[in-house]
């Protein structure tokens, strides 16, 4: 059995940051640190973030109002974490490790524009600090045993057993996994933690209707209002941005921002609808919109539908609206067709669809749910099991698109790694 100071289960963003922070927090006698990673290399999810460019944090974040950027059952607890290690701390940390960054309107990327730079920076730091990494290593069992000098955690892998004086769970979530792996959550439950059911977030939404194939591939600026009803209450959430239409429903950044609410509502059996405004430039300008409709109908009287609607939105959208209202492109604008024309104009600003499901974990960028924040203290230490620390997606925190989820990984990982190492330092003084 190998005896080490700190074991870290999970070599994703939070686990890698935890290892660097732990190694840097104890001077003199270094900590022996090991990372257990189930995949063939650490940080694989990092390589896919930001479309391969890695939006590693966002300077627009407000520490005082974390609820605007993150979702959690206890968002008020986030402020204290980010106050101790926030976006500016992340920039200083990576600069200290030798990485250059660039700021694009608050969105921070490595100067190289490559996510691999972020991963390599962390890997090089771990090599320099002599952190041991074991890949293709699934942890089958982890238990807490002993007291005093013998207090610690027994970690069992298929090939070896380890005794770790401190243990950090940074196992990530099932997001992005073809076969949803909930092993990290099970390890946490084994130490006495409860679990808010993990659900896909930052993910595409599937919608009812047999017309989606005709819309597939369209990208357009749009406003989206998500309406949730049932269980005696009604909720509404709104976003705007580039909408992507697929052969099964809706995608794109504004959809991702709303998806965690849809996933949660659908899991509770509630009804979810999305109302799409394909012309958000007219938002708050109803008089201008109505004037435009009157002018176009007047100018295009006895002309074709193709002429009437030409240039308003993507042609695939117009063609779908015609079909849904019994019109054809060659039909002319007349008193007979005007009721249907009015419906098309209405639908361009109020296209209502029923959301039937979110895509599965494999398509999600993050997960909603996890271990409640109330079950860890300000140092990320478990309130259920002293000496155990939790970090990253395993906890009930999911952020908006734009670098916020990685910032949570850096914050929680840094605090957990630092606290674990400092507790060992304190223990050494006690027994030396």
């Amino acid at each position: 059995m190998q005896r080490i100071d700190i074991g870290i289960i999970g070599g994703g963003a939070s686990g890698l940051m935890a290892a660097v922070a732990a190694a840097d927090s104890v001077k003199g006698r270094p900590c022996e640190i090991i990372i257990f990673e189930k995949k063939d290399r650490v940080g694989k999810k990092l390589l896919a973030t930001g479309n391969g460019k890695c939006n590693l944090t966002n300077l627009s974040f407000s520490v005082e109002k974390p609820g605007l950027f993150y979702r959690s059952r206890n968002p008020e607890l986030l402020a204290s974490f980010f106050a101790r290690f926030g976006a500016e701390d992340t920039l200083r940390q990576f600069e200290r490790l030798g990485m250059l960054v660039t700021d694009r309107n608050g969105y921070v990327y490595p100067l190289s524009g490559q996510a691999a730079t972020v991963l390599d920076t962390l890997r090089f730091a771990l090599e320099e600090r002599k952190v041991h990494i074991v890949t293709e290593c699934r942890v089958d069992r982890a238990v807490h045993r002993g007291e005093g000098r013998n207090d610690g955690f027994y970690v069992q892998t298929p090939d070896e057993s380890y005794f770790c004086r401190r243990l950090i769970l940074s196992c990530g979530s099932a997001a992005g996994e073809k076969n949803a792996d909930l092993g990290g959550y099970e390890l946490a439950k084994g130490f006495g933690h409860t679990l808010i059911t993990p659900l896909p977030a930052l993910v595409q939404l599937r919608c009812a209707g047999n017309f989606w194939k005709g819309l597939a591939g369209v990208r357009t600026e749009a406003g989206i209002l998500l309406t949730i009803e049932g269980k005696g209450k009604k909720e509404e959430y709104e976003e705007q941005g580039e909408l992507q239409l697929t052969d099964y429903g809706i995608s794109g950044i504004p959809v991702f921002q709303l998806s965690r609410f849809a996933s949660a509502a659908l899991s509770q059996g509630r009804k979810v609808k999305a109302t799409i405004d394909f012309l958000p430039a007219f938002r708050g300008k109803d008089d201008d919109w109505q004037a435009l409709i009157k002018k176009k109908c007047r100018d295009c009287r006895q002309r074709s539908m193709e002429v009437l609607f030409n240039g308003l939105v993507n042609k695939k959208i117009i063609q779908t609206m015609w079909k849904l209202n019994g019109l054809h492109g060659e039909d002319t604008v007349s008193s007979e067709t005007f009721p249907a024309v009015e419906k098309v104009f209405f639908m361009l600003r109020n296209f209502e669809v029923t959301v039937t499901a979110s895509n599965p974990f494999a398509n999600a960028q993050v997960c909603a749910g996890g271990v409640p924040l109330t079950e860890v203290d300000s140092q990320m230490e478990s309130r259920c099991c002293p000496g155990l620390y939790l970090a990253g997606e395993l906890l009930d925190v999911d952020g908006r698109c734009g670098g916020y989820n990685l910032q949570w990984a850096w914050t929680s990982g840094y605090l957990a790694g630092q606290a674990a190492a400092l507790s060992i330092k304190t223990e050494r003084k006690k027994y030396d």
Side-chain angles (χ1 to χ4, degrees):
M1 178 182 293
Q2 294 190 40
R3 298 178 67 88
I4 56 177
D5 290 314
I6 300 175
I8 300 174
I9 302 179
S14 61
L16 297 178
M17 182 59 80
V20 173
D24 288 346
S25 295
V26 180
K27 296 179 181 179
R29 286 172 59 185
C31 274
E32 296 175 70
I33 304 167
I34 188 168
I35 296 175
F36 304 100
E37 171 54 47
K38 65 181 178 181
K39 296 181 180 177
D40 59 354
R41 63 178 297 188
V42 295
K44 291 188 81 169
K45 282 187 180 181
L46 263 176
L47 297 176
T49 59
N51 291 321
K53 296 180 180 179
C54 193
N55 180 191
L56 68 150
T57 190
N58 198 307
L59 300 179
S60 301
F61 173 63
S62 169
V63 174
E64 292 78 19
K65 298 179 180 180
L68 295 177
F69 308 90
Y70 293 90
R71 308 301 177 191
S72 170
R73 292 282 181 91
N74 305 98
E76 71 282 355
L77 298 178
L78 291 169
S80 63
F81 299 129
F82 289 118
R84 293 171 56 216
F85 193 90
E88 295 291 348
D89 299 295
T90 294
L91 297 189
R92 283 191 287 269
Q93 175 77 328
F94 277 101
E95 180 181 355
R96 190 174 65 84
L97 297 178
M99 191 181 84
L100 301 177
V101 301
T102 182
D103 171 7
R104 301 174 188 170
N105 298 317
Y107 295 75
V108 179
Y109 297 85
L111 185 60
S112 66
Q114 292 182 293
T117 299
V118 180
L119 178 54
D120 287 343
T121 298
L122 292 167
R123 284 197 309 105
F124 298 154
L126 296 178
E127 288 176 9
E128 292 169 353
R129 289 156 177 78
K130 296 180 172 52
V131 172
H132 187 45
I133 298 174
V134 183
T135 56
E136 297 182 287
C137 177
R138 182 181 181 87
V139 173
D140 296 323
R141 185 167 176 261
V143 295
H144 181 241
R145 290 283 189 274
E147 59 183 34
R149 285 179 179 269
N150 297 315
D151 182 58
F153 300 83
Y154 290 90
V155 175
Q156 184 66 53
T157 73
D159 302 317
E160 183 64 270
S161 58
Y162 302 82
F163 174 79
C164 308
R165 295 169 68 190
R166 300 292 183 273
L167 187 65
I168 299 175
L169 296 185
S170 56
C171 315
S173 70
E177 302 285 348
K178 290 183 179 179
N179 299 310
D181 186 349
L182 303 180
Y185 300 116
E186 293 302 318
L187 288 175
K189 287 170 66 176
F191 289 111
H193 285 283
T194 58
L195 190 65
I196 298 168
T197 303
L199 296 168
L202 298 189
V203 71
Q204 308 87 351
L205 296 177
R206 294 181 169 270
C207 303
N210 58 5
F211 49 81
W212 291 105
K213 287 187 177 180
L215 293 168
V218 171
R219 291 172 178 254
T220 182
E221 186 73 12
I224 306 174
L225 175 67
L226 195 76
T227 304
I228 298 171
E229 294 183 291
K231 306 291 184 181
K233 58 182 178 178
K234 179 179 179 180
E235 302 166 37
E236 291 185 336
Y237 305 94
E238 196 166 8
E239 292 287 343
Q240 182 175 324
E242 186 182 66
L243 174 68
Q244 297 176 30
L245 302 178
T246 71
D247 59 1
Y248 56 78
I250 52 179
S251 181
I253 298 298
V255 175
F256 287 178
Q257 310 286 37
L258 296 169
S259 60
R260 69 103 60 208
F261 303 111
S263 291
L266 291 168
S267 73
Q268 297 165 7
R270 301 174 69 191
K271 295 180 180 179
V272 181
K273 291 185 177 180
T275 303
I276 303 170
D277 180 356
F278 288 109
L279 289 159
F282 285 96
R283 184 177 180 180
K285 301 177 181 178
D286 289 343
D287 290 345
D288 292 345
W289 172 242
Q290 293 302 322
L292 174 67
I293 294 174
K294 290 179 181 178
K295 185 177 187 305
K296 286 191 71 69
C297 289
R298 182 179 65 248
D299 293 347
C300 296
R301 191 164 185 82
Q302 299 306 319
R303 301 176 76 181
S304 71
M305 296 296 161
E306 289 184 328
V307 174
L308 174 64
F309 291 105
N310 182 47
L312 274 178
V313 293
N314 186 287
K315 198 168 185 177
K316 284 187 176 181
I317 297 173
I318 285 296
Q319 290 172 339
T320 298
M321 301 301 178
W322 292 340
K323 291 178 182 178
L324 291 174
N325 289 284
L327 293 172
H328 300 85
E330 62 273 17
D331 291 342
T332 58
V333 181
S334 65
S335 57
E336 289 77 17
T337 59
F338 191 68
V341 167
E342 281 191 312
K343 289 181 180 179
V344 171
F345 275 115
F346 177 80
M347 289 177 72
L348 286 173
R349 303 291 315 284
N350 302 273
F351 188 54
E352 186 178 280
V353 294
T354 298
V355 178
T356 58
S358 63
N359 264 351
F361 286 115
N363 300 100
Q365 293 184 19
V366 298
C367 285
V371 176
L373 283 177
T374 52
E375 296 183 11
V376 295
D377 67 12
S378 61
Q379 309 295 320
M380 312 308 299
E381 186 173 10
S382 167
R383 295 185 186 278
C384 302
C385 181
L388 176 72
Y389 299 80
L390 283 73
E393 279 193 71
L394 200 60
L395 290 157
D396 173 39
V397 180
D398 59 286
R400 293 172 60 83
C401 292
Y404 299 107
N405 287 291
L406 271 182
Q407 181 56 58
W408 171 243
W410 309 135
T411 293
S412 57
Y414 184 90
L415 295 179
Q418 181 186 62
L422 291 178
S423 71
I424 286 179
K425 184 178 180 179
T426 300
E427 186 178 88
R428 284 172 175 171
K429 289 182 179 179
K430 178 180 178 180
Y431 291 107
D432 284 352

